[in-house]
Amino acid sequence: MLQSELDGKRVVVALGGNALGDAPGEQLKLLEGASKNLARMVKEGINVVVTHGNGPQVGIIDEAFEVASKDKDAQVPPMPLSDCNAMSQGYIGAQLSCALRNEFHRQDIMREVANVPTHVVVDADDPAFKDYEKPIGAFMTEAEARAFAKATGYQVREDSGRGWRRVVPSPVPQDIVELETVRDLMEDGCVVIAAGGGGIPVTVRDGVHTAVDAIVDKDLTSAILAWRVRADILVILTAVDRVCINWGKPDQKSLAEMTVAEAERYCEEGHFAPGSMLPKVRAAVSFAKTGGQAIIASLAQAGAAVRGEAGTVVHL
C-alpha cells in the first residue's frame, strides 16, 4: 500500500497491556515510544483510534486495594474489579494522551486527543461467568500463585508457558456503549483512545446498565470497535513481527498473510497459545469477516504493517 493511499483511512490500533510494563514510570516510557509510531501514522493522514490492554495494570490495582482493605487502620474499602478496570482505563489513557500530545507537538501535527472510558455490553448468561480463563495481573511462580489463591480465594492458572497469573471471567463483548461518542470525536478530527482493557463490562436489562466483575478481551472488543466505526484496517500489536505456525519447532514458519479459512484451520490445529496469540488471531478473523483487513504485527513495525510492508495480514 503506497503512502498516498493511506490518507483518510480509518485504522484501529490495539496496543497490548503486557507491552506497557508493570509500573507507571516504565509504562510512560513505553507509551512515549508507542506514540512516536502512532504519530507517524497520523502524519500520513490516517484517522487513528487506539485501544489498549490492561492485563498487568488492572491486576496490580485490584491487588493493591485487596491488600489495603485488610489494613484496619487504612480504612480502604475493597474495590470491585469493574472499578479497577475503569481506573486502569483512566491512567493508561491519561499517560497515552499526554505522550501523544507531546509527540504531535514535536512533529508539528495539529490534532487533538480524546480519551474515552468505555463500557461494553456482555451477556449475563455468558458461559465465561462459570469458567474463568482471562489472566490478569503480575506473573507468579506456581508456588506463589497457589499461595495467592489460598490467601484470596481467587482462581489462578498457568499462562502460555510464561508463568502463573490470576484468572477472571472473560465474557464475549456484544456492543460498545460509547460508540456514538467515539464516532463523533473521530468526525471532529480527534485521535481517540477507547475501549481500554477491552472496556468495562456491563449487562443491560430493560435499559438499565449494571457493571459486572470480569475482563473482556481487548482484541475482541477492538474488532467490534473497528467494525462499528467502519475502519479500513485493524492493527493488533504484539511482541513478535509476524504470526507463526509450529511455534518453537524445527519447522516453525512465519506467515505474511492468512485467509480467514486458513486462520480458522490453524486455530483448530492448536498452533496458537490460548493466552497469547490465539485471541489475537480470532479477533483478526472476526474483523476480516466483516470485509476489513486485519494485521498482526509488532509495535516497532506498526507503521510498516499498515503500509503492507510487515506483519501478518488476515483477509477473506
Side-chain angles (χ1 to χ4, degrees), residues 10-15 41 49 51 218-227 231-237 279-288 290 292-297 305-306 312-314:
R10 290 188 171 191
V11 177
V12 171
V13 179
L15 297 172
M41 294 169 65
V49 177
T51 69
K218 62 94 178 169
D219 293 317
L220 291 178
T221 299
S222 299
I224 292 177
L225 181 64
W227 168 52
D232 300 285
I233 303 171
L234 167 64
V235 181
I236 300 174
L237 300 179
K280 293 174 173 55
V281 173
R282 284 178 171 167
V285 166
S286 175
F287 180 67
T290 70
Q293 184 183 79
I295 306 172
I296 300 173
V306 173
T312 300
V313 178
V314 182

Side-chain angles (χ1 to χ4, degrees), residues 244-265:
C244 294
I245 56 174
N246 300 317
W247 177 262
K249 299 178 181 178
D251 57 346
Q252 176 178 313
K253 178 182 178 182
S254 64
L255 304 172
E257 65 175 337
M258 293 185 288
T259 65
V260 164
E262 288 171 336
E264 290 181 327
R265 187 178 80 248

Side-chain angles (χ1 to χ4, degrees), residues 149-258:
K150 184 177 180 180
T152 61
Y154 295 150
Q155 295 189 30
V156 294
R157 184 178 296 180
E158 198 277 330
D159 181 8
S160 306
R162 298 178 294 179
W164 286 68
R165 299 171 78 186
R166 178 187 172 189
V167 287
V168 298
S170 183
V172 177
Q174 307 290 326
D175 203 359
I176 295 170
V177 176
E178 289 82 4
L179 179 65
E180 292 305 320
T181 300
V182 173
R183 283 176 173 166
D184 289 346
L185 288 167
M186 290 179 67
E187 292 298 330
D188 287 342
C190 290
V191 174
V192 184
I193 303 166
I200 305 160
V202 296
T203 57
V204 182
R205 190 181 300 273
D206 298 327
V208 177
H209 294 65
T210 303
V212 294
D213 283 343
I215 297 292
V216 176
D217 185 88
K218 62 94 178 169
D219 293 317
L220 291 178
T221 299
S222 299
I224 292 177
L225 181 64
W227 168 52
R228 296 299 300 278
V229 302
R230 299 183 177 87
D232 300 285
I233 303 171
L234 167 64
V235 181
I236 300 174
L237 300 179
T238 185
V240 295
D241 293 338
R242 280 182 169 159
V243 177
C244 294
I245 56 174
N246 300 317
W247 177 262
K249 299 178 181 178
D251 57 346
Q252 176 178 313
K253 178 182 178 182
S254 64
L255 304 172
E257 65 175 337
M258 293 185 288

Side-chain angles (χ1 to χ4, degrees), residues 37-195:
N37 291 291
L38 293 169
R40 292 191 197 103
M41 294 169 65
V42 173
K43 200 163 188 176
E44 291 179 6
I46 299 171
N47 294 319
V48 176
V49 177
V50 186
T51 69
H52 61 79
N54 69 345
Q57 296 83 359
V58 71
I60 292 168
I61 294 170
D62 180 70
E63 185 177 356
F65 275 100
E66 180 74 22
V67 171
S69 68
K70 293 178 180 178
D71 184 344
K72 295 180 180 179
D73 295 329
Q75 296 183 337
V76 176
M79 189 64 60
L81 182 58
S82 59
D83 290 336
C84 295
N85 191 332
M87 291 178 187
S88 72
Q89 282 199 49
Y91 95 85
I92 295 172
Q95 285 194 343
L96 180 55
S97 294
C98 188
L100 279 170
R101 288 192 180 96
N102 291 341
E103 194 58 41
F104 288 174
H105 175 72
R106 280 189 283 269
Q107 297 193 33
D108 196 28
I109 299 171
M110 302 299 292
R111 296 286 292 277
E112 186 51 85
V113 183
N115 180 36
V116 182
T118 310
H119 298 77
V120 294
V121 178
V122 300
D123 186 348
D125 297 322
D126 192 301
F129 288 110
K130 296 180 180 179
D131 181 17
Y132 294 11
E133 62 177 22
K134 180 67 174 180
I136 66 169
F139 288 95
M140 299 172 278
T141 65
E142 182 176 358
E144 290 171 337
R146 295 197 182 282
F148 172 72
K150 184 177 180 180
T152 61
Y154 295 150
Q155 295 189 30
V156 294
R157 184 178 296 180
E158 198 277 330
D159 181 8
S160 306
R162 298 178 294 179
W164 286 68
R165 299 171 78 186
R166 178 187 172 189
V167 287
V168 298
S170 183
V172 177
Q174 307 290 326
D175 203 359
I176 295 170
V177 176
E178 289 82 4
L179 179 65
E180 292 305 320
T181 300
V182 173
R183 283 176 173 166
D184 289 346
L185 288 167
M186 290 179 67
E187 292 298 330
D188 287 342
C190 290
V191 174
V192 184
I193 303 166

